[in-house]
């Protein structure tokens, strides 16, 4: 008879455990034909079969087995649907047994046949019976329907055993069948193994075999009769006694040991080894050295075995053997204890939380005794404890643990004795009760902290009226039975919409004249100028003490703040806005087809400019270095983009990771030799003033004229024709030639005469700041120019020299105008001209140091005073 076997198997608890393994077999006598195997994990149903034309006969058993995957029994619930067909009948497991599933074995089928369905258990490994490879000659012989077919398959099997696998493909099931049948443990030769196993213990075959050990080695002490209390007779005839260190090499036939276990035991000699110690290892390869203790990977704690001196979590894969009560044992136990005192148990276990993480009382696991005892001082230990207390306070784990315990008890009542967990109930409830009291006791502390926070965000001391108003709001909310946490949130929201937080409020004095701002207002002006943020504790202290109206104290605070890493915000908010590169790291207007590397480089390009200005402000660099610097800041990617060999490029000593930059950045000097230097050669300025697919001499020239030199140009007319976006598709003309054609129009020439030369001189850089000699159309680049006033120069070096000599005063004045406007938070007025002139003079006489310009602003009346109330809001 032939059967069609099919079904569906599904792990019924997908949110827990690692699933199950399954196999479908046809068993006949002592043989097994495995039809299919697999695993089920998660919610997906696993189809079984269909397996067609499975030949069966009386006494055969179809077995669907389910076992714990990798030995993990956690949450192993399995849904099974199994159906068998013989063409005219159908046997369905669920339909046949569901009505009497509790009756026990055996179960009859739907046709009234008794003892058809059976449920049983057996070991998942080491079970008896030969597994016949599916699809092999023997499996096909079992399923053959006729005598002739069986005869032909039997002859083929005989040839396989006589001639070997020959040229069979590697995936052929007959190769596995051949190895199974011809192995020493197989059905054909297993009798030989049984004969060997039946020999009396202690006997050995004659020497000369390459396998096993020489029988003459057994039953002897290595020291012979000369050893005190030892003789040949003190060693059993079936035992091997050696002097450590020693390597015993045993060769065994592979077929003999396939699927078998090697078991050995070792003890110290009762008299000569009483105070010794030895480590035993069984290896598949010869060790390099037999001497010394061999540390091995930690595996698991053996609660009953000799792996550790006790069972506190340290285990060795290679046991150390010592005698009970010996000094050697005491020495090892002390060493193990010292080890545990140095290293936490977490190093020995990969998992602290149980496998079933859904139901657990281990909400947070703390094990830092070694860290605190060996590495932290008292202050650091106190801080660590405080952080743990904050975590437990904010997580409210003491209250959560009550719910977790209740859930655990519900699970325990299903398949365990809940009395085991009952002693935990009282401590958990006591801790929750204490935590609830702590919550109430700390409510006033939160309100006091909120008032302190208000003083920080208002950037001054709160008045009594303001404190009373905030306390009153909180009190009214609590009177409405609003919980403490929500009441604090609402009070905080009130604070964050107050004008004192949203605006830098300054109170003008009565009258029309100018008067000094108070110390708190001056602290805010200074902090938002240099840090673009509120004053820090030191600046608040100076304001509270009334020190900032002292010129020396004010300039001291200025120097301190310029040396702080937070001056990076001055680079970002002032310099990057002035140069029109703010937010460059989000620029997404470049053609990916023409410049595929730009997206990955734009953050590095932006970081270079920020680090450049941050370093200038922190180290009191020269304003002229904005154009003339022979250094910059690079990482590996940007250096490669610039063509600068970073490994060979000179770097200033101690300049790695400068100016608060991320790791991997360094200051690199001597970059002019690579065609760089100053912001004119930064990828940010070159890329921002370019098109998506080509350079733009017009944008670059206009940027130099307006942004760097402060020369405002009229807006271009609306009917100006657009140049092609792709410089490779310009009908044989370079971008410069196209611009020169456009500039020949008298309407356009007036402006272009002022800006084109600046833009043409930078044509040696492409649209993302790379140096080049040819454009995308493979045409030679021309960077020689002549300005409107007759000056002639070539490329970046010529442009830089022209700006630093002929146009130096215009550049310095523009820098001063932009810095002053940023510091004051308003446009420059006619009344500011004397201060601008003073700043230029100070820079010129002081070597153009940037801190001189900043201190001139901070010391000025514009920065330290405010107009009177009657004129404060005049235009």
């Amino acid at each position: 008879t032939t059967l069609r076997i099919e079904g569906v198997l599904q792990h019924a608890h997908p949110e827990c455990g690692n699933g199950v393994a399954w196999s479908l077999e046809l068993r006949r006598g002592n043989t097994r034909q495995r039809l299919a195997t697999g695993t089920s994990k998660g919610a997906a149903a696993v189809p079984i079969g269909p397996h067609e034309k499975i030949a069966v006969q009386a006494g055969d058993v179809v077995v669907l087995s389910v076992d714990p995957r990798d030995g993990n029994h956690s949450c192993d619930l399995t849904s099974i649907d199994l159906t068998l067909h013989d063409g005219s009948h159908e046997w369905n497991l669920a339909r046949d047994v569901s009505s009497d599933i509790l009756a026990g074995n055996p179960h009859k089928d739907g046709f009234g046949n008794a003892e058809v369905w059976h449920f049983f258990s057996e070991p998942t490994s080491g079970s008896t019976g030969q597994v016949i490879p599916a699809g092999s000659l023997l499996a096909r012989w079992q399923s053959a329907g006729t005598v002739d077919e069986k005869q032909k398959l039997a002859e083929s099997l005989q040839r396989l055993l006589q001639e070997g696998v020959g040229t069979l493909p590697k995936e052929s099931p007959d190769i596995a069948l051949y190895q199974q049948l011809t192995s020493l443990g197989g059905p054909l030769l297993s009798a030989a193994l049984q004969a060997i196993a039946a020999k009396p213990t202690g006997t050995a075959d004659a020497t000369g075999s390459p396998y096993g050990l020489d029988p003459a080695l057994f039953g002897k002490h290595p020291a012979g009769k000369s050893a005190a209390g030892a003789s040949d007779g003190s060693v059993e005839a079936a035992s091997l006694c050696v002097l450590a260190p020693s390597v015993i090499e045993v060769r065994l036939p592979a077929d003999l040991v396939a699927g078998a276990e090697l078991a050995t035991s070792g003890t110290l000699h009762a008299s000569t080894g009483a105070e010794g110690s030895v480590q035993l290892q069984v290896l598949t390869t010869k060790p390099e050295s037999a001497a010394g203790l061999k540390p091995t990977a930690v595996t698991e704690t053996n609660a009953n075995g000799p792996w550790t001196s006790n069972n506190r979590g340290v285990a060795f894969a290679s046991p150390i053997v010592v005698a009970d009560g010996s000094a050697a044992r005491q020495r090892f136990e002390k060493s193990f204890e010292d080890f545990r005192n140095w290293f936490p148990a977490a190093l020995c276990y990969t998992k602290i939380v149980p496998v079933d993480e859904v139901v657990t009382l281990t909400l947070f696991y703390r094990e830092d005794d070694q860290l605190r005892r060996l590495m932290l001082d008292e202050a650091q230990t106190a801080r660590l404890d405080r952080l743990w207390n904050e975590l437990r306070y904010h997580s409210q784990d003491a209250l959560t643990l009550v719910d977790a315990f209740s859930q655990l008890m519900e699970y325990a009542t299903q398949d365990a004795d809940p009395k085991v967990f009952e002693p935990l109930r009282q401590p958990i409830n006591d801790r929750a009760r204490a935590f609830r009291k702590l919550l109430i006791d700390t409510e006033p502390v939160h309100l006091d902290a909120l008032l302190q926070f208000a003083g920080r965000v208002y950037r001054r001391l709160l008045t009594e009226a303001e404190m009373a108003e905030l306390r009153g709001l909180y009190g009214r909310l609590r009177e409405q039975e609003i919980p403490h946490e929500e009441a604090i949130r609402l009070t905080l929201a009130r604070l964050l919409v107050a004008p004192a937080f949203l605006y830098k409020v300054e109170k003008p004095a009565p009258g029309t004249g100018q008067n000094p701002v108070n110390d708190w207002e001056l602290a805010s002006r200074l902090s938002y100028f240099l840090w673009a943020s509120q004053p820090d504790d030191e600046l608040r202290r100076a304001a509270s003490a009334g020190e900032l109206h002292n010129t020396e104290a004010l300039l001291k605070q200025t120097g301190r703040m310029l040396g702080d890493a937070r001056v990076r915000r001055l680079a970002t908010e002032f310099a990057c806005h002035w140069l029109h590169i703010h937010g460059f790291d989000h620029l997404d207007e470049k053609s990916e087809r023409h410049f595929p590397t730009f997206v990955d480089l734009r953050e590095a390009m932006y970081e270079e400019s920020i680090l450049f200005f941050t370093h200038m402000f922190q180290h009191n660099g020269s304003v002229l270095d904005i154009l003339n610097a022979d250094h910059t800041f690079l990482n590996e990617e940007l250096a490669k983009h610039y063509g600068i060999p970073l490994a060979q490029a000179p770097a200033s000593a101690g300049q790695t990771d400068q100016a608060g930059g991320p790791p991997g950045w360094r200051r690199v000097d001597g970059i002019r030799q690579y065609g760089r230097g100053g912001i004119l050669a930064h990828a940010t300025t070159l890329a921002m003033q370019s098109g998506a697919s080509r350079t733009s001499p017009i944008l670059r020239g206009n940027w130099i004229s307006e942004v760097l030199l402060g020369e405002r140009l009229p807006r271009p007319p609306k009917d100006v024709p657009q140049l092609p976006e792709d410089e490779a598709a310009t009908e044989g003309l370079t971008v410069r030639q196209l611009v020169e054609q456009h500039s020949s129009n008298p309407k356009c020439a007036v402006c272009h005469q002022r800006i084109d030369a600046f833009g043409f001189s930078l044509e040696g850089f492409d649209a993302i700041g790379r140096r080049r000699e040819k454009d995308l159309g493979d045409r030679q680049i021309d960077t020689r120019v002549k300005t409107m006033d007759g000056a002639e120069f070539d490329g970046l070096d010529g442009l830089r020299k022209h700006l630093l000599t002929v146009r130096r005063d215009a550049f310095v004045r523009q820098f001063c105008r932009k810095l002053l406007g940023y510091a004051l938070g308003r446009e420059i007025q006619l009344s500011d001209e004397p201060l601008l002139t003073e700043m230029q003079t100070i820079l010129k006489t002081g070597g153009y140091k940037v801190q001189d310009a900043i201190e001139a602003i901070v010391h000025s009346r514009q920065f330290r005073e405010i107009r009177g109330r009657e004129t404060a809001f005049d235009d």
Side-chain angles (χ1 to χ4, degrees), residues 436-449:
R436 291 189 185 95
K437 183 178 183 302
L438 177 65
L439 289 177
I440 297 175
D441 293 343
T442 53
E443 288 180 0
V445 178
H446 298 159
L447 185 57
D448 291 340

Side-chain angles (χ1 to χ4, degrees), residues 309-357:
S309 58
N310 55 36
N311 298 306
R312 289 182 53 188
V314 179
F316 295 89
S318 301
I320 299 174
V321 180
V322 292
D324 287 341
S326 65
R329 181 184 180 92
Q330 296 174 6
R331 185 173 64 253
F332 273 102
E333 288 178 343
K334 183 179 184 305
S335 297
F336 291 153
E337 185 65 27
D338 291 341
F339 179 88
R340 285 188 289 271
N341 289 334
W342 279 94
F343 298 101
L347 294 178
C348 305
Y349 290 93
T350 58
K351 282 191 176 183
I352 294 298
V353 178
V355 174
D356 185 358
E357 300 178 17

Side-chain angles (χ1 to χ4, degrees), residues 822-843:
Y822 176 78
L824 300 178
R826 61 170 174 79
E827 292 185 354
I828 298 301
Q829 301 173 357
L830 183 61
S831 59
D832 298 320
E833 289 298 325
L835 177 56
L836 287 174
T837 301
E838 179 186 354
M839 291 174 64
Q840 290 177 262
T841 302
I842 291 173
L843 285 173

